């Protein structure tokens, strides 16, 4: 048995299952169990792979009737771990916080929760050190994480203001009830979209506006960013800054890659687990520098981008590992790259 902090994942969906996998990959963490509410195929898989499964007390019989072995209730899971990662649907984490508090356990929440319900909203590169002494941390959403990493990478040029047009995927690949399936939908009609405020929950002084539209795809989000700097900036400086930032990869101009479909195919071809791409994927050819203004486009894999952030949030709460070390340990264990992807 690996020694380390015992992590429980409440909510084994798109994000929760990936966090559970990532915890198992870390030498300093161990997965004590995960929770589910419905006795479906994912619960059967958990039994097959030998992961402890916890369920709401009132659902135990349903699981047992479906032939699924249960290790206990969700409160028992909470009591038997050192830290909880809450990956329940948006809004549920706020309800669960009381349970975590009464058990005296720290917790990491996801971007679907309100920023006000935690001590700090989190993006590893931007504010790891500020977690010191805090118990309740929220990893910001996938889109916000993509924006923050990119801004962080280019911050040394002096940022005057940022505009991001966000083209959002309609659903995750495993979802069967969400849309639109034949529309481009403004989300919302008004601007700015909520993403600007979410970015400010981590970088309060940044001048940023965001707009968002949903399109019928499940693969990735695409961001088109315009940044105004304090000074004239050269394209090569932008490329060099992006190349040296962890968790950002470039799709070289000569690769010919110009779509999210091709990026996901690259993840499959590279043998990435679940075909995930937790890095921000910047199209090198999209970078345009004109005086103090830079345009660039990048893709965000919504299913996986926040996963390494959750692992760092756990270590930040534990308070024993520095930011740079945590990012390095997480990225090495998960095979996350920087530099040219292709
Ligand atoms: P999901 O619906 O795929 O998974 C949620 C899981 O929680 C499911 O397994 C569900 O059965 C379980 N669940 C539901 N009610 C529960 C309860 N009462 N107790 C315990 N478990 C319960 O959701 P998701 O997409 O993984 O999102 C989880 C969080 O991550 C949300 O806050 C979301 O905003 C955020 N997030 C999602 C994405 C994404 O693109 N999917 C990206 C970044 C962040």
């Amino acid at each position: 048995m690996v020694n380390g902090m015992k992590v429980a994942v409440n909510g084994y969906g798109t994000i929760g299952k990936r966090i559970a996998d990532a915890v198992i990959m870390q030498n300093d963490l161990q997965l004590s169990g995960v929770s589910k509410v419905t006795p479906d195929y994912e619960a059967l898989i958990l039994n097959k792979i030998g992961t402890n499964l916890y369920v709401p007390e009132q659902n135990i019989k349903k699981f047992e009737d479906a032939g699924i072995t249960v290790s206990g209730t969700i409160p028992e899971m909470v009591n038997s771990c050192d830290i909880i990662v809450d990956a329940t649907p948006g809004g549920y984490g706020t309800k669960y916080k009381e349970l975590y508090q009464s058990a005296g356990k720290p917790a990491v929440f996801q971007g679907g929760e309100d920023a006000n319900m935690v001590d700090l909203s989190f993006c590893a590169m931007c504010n790891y050190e500020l977690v010191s002494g805090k118990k309740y941390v929220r990893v910001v959403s996938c889109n916000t994480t993509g924006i923050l990493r990119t801004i962080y990478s280019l911050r040394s040029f002096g940022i005057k203001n940022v505009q991001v047009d966000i083209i959002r995927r309609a659903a995750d690949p495993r979802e069967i009830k969400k849309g639109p399936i034949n529309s481009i939908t403004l989300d919302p009609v008004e601007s700015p979209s909520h993403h600007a405020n979410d970015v400010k929950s981590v970088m309060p002084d940044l001048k940023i506006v965001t707009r968002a539209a949903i399109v019928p795809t499940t693969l990735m989000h695409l961001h088109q960013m315009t940044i105004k700097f304090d000074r004239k900036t050269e394209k090569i400086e932008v490329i060099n800054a992006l190349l040296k930032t962890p968790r950002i990869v470039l799709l070289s101009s000569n690769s010919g890659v110009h779509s999210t479909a091709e990026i996901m195919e690259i993840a499959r071809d590279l043998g990435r687990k679940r075909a995930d791409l937790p890095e921000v994927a910047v199209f090198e050819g999209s970078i345009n520098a004109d005086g103090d203004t830079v345009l660039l486009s990048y893709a965000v894999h919504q299913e996986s981008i926040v996963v390494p952030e959750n692992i760092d949030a756990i270590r930040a709460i534990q308070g024993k590992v520095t930011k740079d070390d945590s990012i390095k340990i997480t990225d090495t264990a998960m095979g996350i790259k920087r530099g040219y992807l292709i």
Side-chain angles (χ1 to χ4, degrees):
M1 166 84 71
V2 182
N3 287 317
M5 214 182 183
K6 284 184 276 175
V7 182
V9 178
N10 193 17
Y12 191 77
T14 300
I15 301 299
K17 64 174 72 174
R18 287 171 167 80
I19 294 169
D21 286 351
V23 167
I24 292 168
M25 290 174 196
Q26 312 300 315
N27 282 334
D28 56 341
L29 306 178
Q30 57 172 301
L31 183 68
S32 61
V34 304
S35 79
K36 277 197 58 65
V37 288
T38 38
D40 58 10
Y41 67 95
E42 286 170 324
L44 286 166
I45 292 172
L46 285 166
N47 270 191
K48 264 191 198 300
I49 61 178
T51 300
N52 293 330
L53 169 62
Y54 296 85
V55 307
E57 189 168 8
Q58 65 275 19
N59 293 9
I60 289 181
K61 189 169 175 330
K62 272 195 219 161
F63 278 79
E64 287 176 348
D65 287 350
I68 295 164
T69 306
V70 165
S71 300
T73 64
I74 293 177
E76 284 168 346
M77 176 181 83
V78 169
N79 280 324
S80 66
C81 71
D82 298 316
I83 186 165
I84 300 120
V85 178
D86 185 295
T88 55
Y92 281 71
T94 305
K95 294 178 195 151
Y96 269 113
K97 187 177 172 192
E98 214 172 289
L99 173 68
Y100 309 152
Q101 276 176 314
S102 63
K105 302 293 164 91
V108 178
F109 296 91
Q110 309 305 312
E113 306 305 320
D114 199 285
N116 297 326
M117 58 84 69
V118 286
D119 303 323
L120 190 79
S121 289
F122 180 82
C123 171
M125 270 177 232
C126 303
N127 64 355
Y128 184 100
E129 294 92 345
L130 296 185
V131 175
S132 174
K134 310 247 183 324
K135 259 184 128 168
Y136 300 104
V137 168
R138 165 184 166 267
V139 171
V140 291
S141 78
C142 46
N143 282 303
T144 307
T145 301
I147 295 170
L148 283 167
R149 276 190 203 158
T150 310
I151 296 291
Y152 179 85
S153 173
L154 304 176
R155 73 200 181 289
S156 65
F157 305 136
I159 294 172
K160 235 185 215 146
N161 58 60
V162 182
Q163 179 185 325
V164 194
D165 288 304
I166 300 171
I167 303 166
R168 298 179 57 187
R169 63 87 179 101
D172 291 336
R174 75 194 193 97
E175 290 177 314
I176 54 175
K177 289 183 183 164
K178 279 192 183 169
I181 58 168
N182 188 20
S183 171
I184 300 172
T185 306
L186 293 176
D187 181 45
V189 174
E190 301 78 21
S191 71
S193 63
H194 74 274
H195 306 92
N197 271 342
D198 207 27
V199 170
K200 285 176 185 232
S201 71
V202 175
M203 286 187 174
D205 299 329
L206 186 73
K207 279 197 173 152
I208 179 165
V209 287
T210 53
R211 291 184 294 192
I214 308 178
V215 295
T217 179
T218 62
L219 300 178
M220 302 181 91
H221 304 299
L222 185 93
H223 293 184
Q224 302 204 287
M225 181 181 271
T226 306
I227 315 183
K228 232 179 201 313
F229 293 108
D230 290 334
R231 64 165 174 85
K232 184 176 183 311
T233 308
E234 303 295 335
K235 176 171 175 165
I236 189 67
E237 295 180 279
V238 174
I239 292 173
N240 286 337
L242 293 168
L243 283 175
K244 64 175 197 226
T245 308
R247 299 180 184 168
I248 292 183
V249 288
L250 267 80
L251 304 153
S252 65
S253 297
N254 61 12
S255 69
V257 175
H258 62 304
S259 69
T260 55
E262 291 161 312
I263 299 172
M264 286 289 91
E265 187 67 3
I266 291 167
R268 286 190 280 266
D269 287 349
L270 292 176
R272 291 290 185 94
K273 189 171 170 73
R274 299 181 193 275
D276 283 346
L277 197 94
E279 301 93 338
V280 171
V282 182
F283 297 89
E284 184 185 37
S286 74
I287 302 169
N288 178 307
D290 183 5
D292 62 358
T293 303
V294 168
L295 311 179
L296 74 160
S297 300
Y298 56 87
V300 169
H301 186 226
Q302 77 281 354
E303 295 178 279
S304 62
I305 186 171
V306 298
V307 175
E309 307 292 329
N310 273 272
I311 300 298
D312 291 332
I314 294 169
R315 287 206 193 91
I317 289 175
Q318 191 185 23
K320 290 186 182 162
V321 180
T322 64
K323 165 178 136 178
D324 288 348
D325 283 349
S326 180
I327 290 176
K328 203 163 158 195
I329 295 166
T330 306
D331 291 1
T332 304
M334 292 181 67
I336 295 174
K337 304 287 182 217
R338 72 172 82 178
Y340 283 104
L341 182 68
I342 191 98

